[in-house]
Amino acid sequence: QQLQKVENEGSRTSEKETPNQRQLKAVREEISVLENLITRKLINAMMKAAPDAQRAMHTLARLDVIFARAAFGCEWNGAIPKVGETGSMNVIGFVHPVLALEKRLVNEEKREGLCSDSVVVPVDLLLPGKDSHQALLISGPNSGGKTLSLKSFGLVSIMAKLALPIPLANPSPDESVIVDYFDYIKAEVGDNQSVVSGESTLMARLNACSSLIQAMTSATARGKAKLILLDELGGGTDPLAGSAIAQSILEKLISTDPMCKIVATTHSPQLKAMSLNDERFQCASVLLDSALSKVGGTIEVNDVTTR
């Protein structure tokens, strides 16, 4: 009875609708039909244009990356390197971008206190081609910048692979920047000593070097340009024994492939003397400038030169 009462009330209400109301209702229904039709047509058009829109987005992203690289180069005196395949590197006055940014922030704070600005000391990164020595051993005092120079070699190589300009202190059009393409860039800095596995510092370093040698001597890596970065090789044990182990690792790496380039830091006199007896090795040193030292701070690297 209640349902029939509701239906009767609805029928009486519809009978009371004026012609204008019925016409408005019909117009609204027609508008709704047209809106649905337009929506379906737009969706079909967007689906057909989706591949073109996706290609446009990829193109815009690539353009954005290109302009970002150009802006980075203009901001930090970047130079476009020449890229070859001989494993050589010739970068005079490289400025580490992380240090440069940090110095800029510090200098801005100093200007508020009317203090003198500090600068990032550039580093020369030199590696010859495949017809010359394969290993470069960097020595120098503690906190002199050996590890920073080591990491700079890797950073410059990666920046060249990413088509990023190389930041320089004083870029000159007369000096060409050369950073060859390295298919493999491996770094061994510090140790991955694990308490759970019970490894000592020496064993952790030896296991890491063993894995590195296996990776570099594999069939997929053979014949391709490689850059290997080794920090404080031979540490964690007796100096004489560590030097002997380090020498065997270096000789093993460079004897497996003439396309393998090694940059290593060391305090060992035995390793530094290898350049006197083996032409495959060359020694470099970080030079300190007393005018750049700071009380309680770190002495900056002044230069990396071969000798």
Side-chain angles (χ1 to χ4, degrees):
Q1 293 177 355
Q2 292 180 355
L3 181 59
Q4 187 175 4
K5 182 178 180 181
V6 172
E7 291 178 352
N8 293 333
E9 291 179 354
S11 60
R12 286 195 298 268
T13 303
S14 60
E15 292 176 356
K16 293 179 181 180
E17 289 182 352
T18 63
N20 291 336
Q21 290 177 338
R22 288 194 295 270
Q23 185 177 4
L24 179 60
K25 183 178 180 181
V27 171
R28 287 177 176 173
E29 292 178 354
E30 184 177 358
I31 291 175
S32 177
V33 173
L34 292 175
E35 286 179 348
N36 293 333
L37 180 61
I38 293 172
T39 302
R40 286 195 297 268
K41 288 184 177 181
L42 289 176
I43 292 174
N44 292 333
M46 291 176 61
M47 292 177 63
K48 292 180 181 179
D52 296 332
Q54 189 174 10
R55 284 193 295 268
M57 290 296 295
H58 286 309
T59 302
L60 289 175
R62 293 182 62 184
L63 289 174
D64 184 60
V65 171
I66 292 173
F67 280 107
R69 290 168 178 164
F72 174 81
C74 294
E75 182 71 19
W76 300 104
N77 296 327
I80 305 300
K82 296 180 180 179
V83 181
E85 297 180 350
T86 61
S88 63
M89 184 181 300
N90 184 10
V91 181
I92 305 299
F94 171 71
V95 177
H96 200 292
V98 176
L99 295 180
L101 180 60
E102 181 183 5
K103 292 294 183 181
R104 174 177 292 185
L105 297 177
V106 172
N107 291 336
E108 291 177 355
E109 295 178 356
K110 285 184 176 181
R111 290 191 188 100
E112 298 178 357
L114 301 178
C115 298
S116 59
D117 292 347
S118 58
V119 297
V120 178
V121 179
V123 181
D124 295 344
L125 307 176
L126 305 173
L127 282 178
K130 62 181 179 180
D131 297 330
S132 185
H133 65 267
Q134 294 180 244
L136 178 65
L137 302 178
I138 304 176
S139 64
N142 291 324
S143 300
K146 298 187 300 299
T147 303
L148 175 64
S149 302
L150 178 79
K151 294 179 179 179
S152 296
F153 278 97
L155 178 60
V156 167
S157 302
I158 294 176
M159 292 179 71
K161 295 183 71 171
L162 297 176
L164 289 172
I166 308 300
L168 301 179
N170 297 305
S172 174
D174 299 331
E175 296 181 358
S176 60
V177 179
I178 301 174
V179 181
D180 283 354
Y181 186 90
F182 292 95
D183 297 278
Y184 295 91
I185 302 175
K186 301 291 184 179
E188 189 60 41
V189 180
D191 62 83
N192 297 320
Q193 184 180 6
S194 175
V195 177
V196 177
S197 59
E199 291 180 338
S200 64
T201 301
L202 176 62
M203 289 306 301
R205 296 297 299 271
L206 290 180
N207 289 334
C209 291
S210 175
S211 301
L212 181 63
I213 293 174
Q214 293 177 6
M216 293 298 98
T217 56
S218 62
T220 56
R222 191 173 297 124
K224 297 182 179 180
K226 311 176 207 37
L227 178 62
I228 301 176
L229 309 175
L230 303 172
D231 188 34
E232 298 292 349
L233 187 62
T237 185
D238 176 75
L240 293 178
S243 299
I245 295 173
Q247 180 175 349
S248 63
I249 292 174
L250 292 173
E251 291 177 344
K252 175 64 176 178
L253 285 171
I254 64 176
S255 63
T256 55
D257 195 342
M259 294 297 293
C260 179
K261 292 288 185 178
I262 301 175
V263 180
T265 62
T266 183
H267 287 286
S268 170
Q270 290 81 0
L271 294 181
K272 290 184 283 187
M274 291 175 63
S275 60
L276 301 176
N277 304 320
D278 194 335
E279 60 182 7
R280 298 175 299 175
F281 295 88
Q282 192 168 23
C283 192
S285 62
V286 290
L287 305 179
L288 302 181
D289 190 345
S290 59
L292 298 172
S293 61
K294 299 179 297 182
V295 178
T298 302
I299 300 177
E300 304 281 357
V301 178
N302 184 38
D303 196 5
V304 175
T305 57
T306 58
R307 63 178 182 176

